[in-house]
Amino acid sequence: MTTRRPRDHEAERAALRAATERLLSGTPLRSDSGRLTVTELLRESGLRRDTAYDDHKDLVEEFQARARAQHHTPALAQSLAEENAALKEKLADATSALTKERQTTAALRKIIAELDLELHAAREARGPARIAALPPRRRPSHLG
């Protein structure tokens, strides 16, 4: 038979209060989004949902009231959301450019392969030369 440790209700209440303050001030430690929801409050406090609602419902309701009164997303969460959106757009642009570059390089590889085959075939051809040599390239004269 296993025995459970007795729960420390005051420590749980302190954890909920601290999590409330961190979320409302926009400086969460454990929350990924920093949104003002009960789910994020529980994640931030480290408590289970049943524990919070059974024994500390008053603190949960206080958090909800303060979050509603705030009527906005905390500044930190808002800036993170904006930065995330900008990074997603930048990633989409980079992905699109990479796709175009891959298509271009694939086409160039095909062209190079075809030209290599044609050159090899022309060198192997017996009979009159079918390849005309280009005249040597002229270099521009520099006035000195």
Side-chain angles (χ1 to χ4, degrees), residues 123-144:
R123 285 183 178 159
E124 295 292 320
R126 305 216 188 263
R130 298 181 340 198
I131 299 176
L134 296 175
R137 189 173 174 189
R138 291 186 187 180
R139 294 192 178 173
S141 61
H142 293 291
L143 297 174

Side-chain angles (χ1 to χ4, degrees), residues 28-86:
L29 296 176
R30 297 180 183 145
S31 170
D32 293 330
S33 68
R35 293 177 52 206
L36 302 179
T37 63
V38 174
T39 300
E40 293 301 315
L41 174 67
L42 296 175
R43 181 174 290 131
E44 186 68 21
S45 68
L47 296 177
R48 293 188 337 241
R49 186 171 295 276
D50 62 328
T51 301
Y53 278 110
D54 288 347
D55 298 326
H56 311 295
K57 189 172 183 178
D58 60 322
L59 292 178
V60 173
E61 290 172 350
E62 178 185 329
F63 168 76
Q64 289 174 319
R66 287 179 66 187
R68 275 193 302 274
Q70 199 164 350
H71 283 302
H72 73 283
T73 306
L76 177 64
Q78 182 64 35
S79 67
L80 288 175
E82 290 169 0
E83 182 181 355
N84 188 25

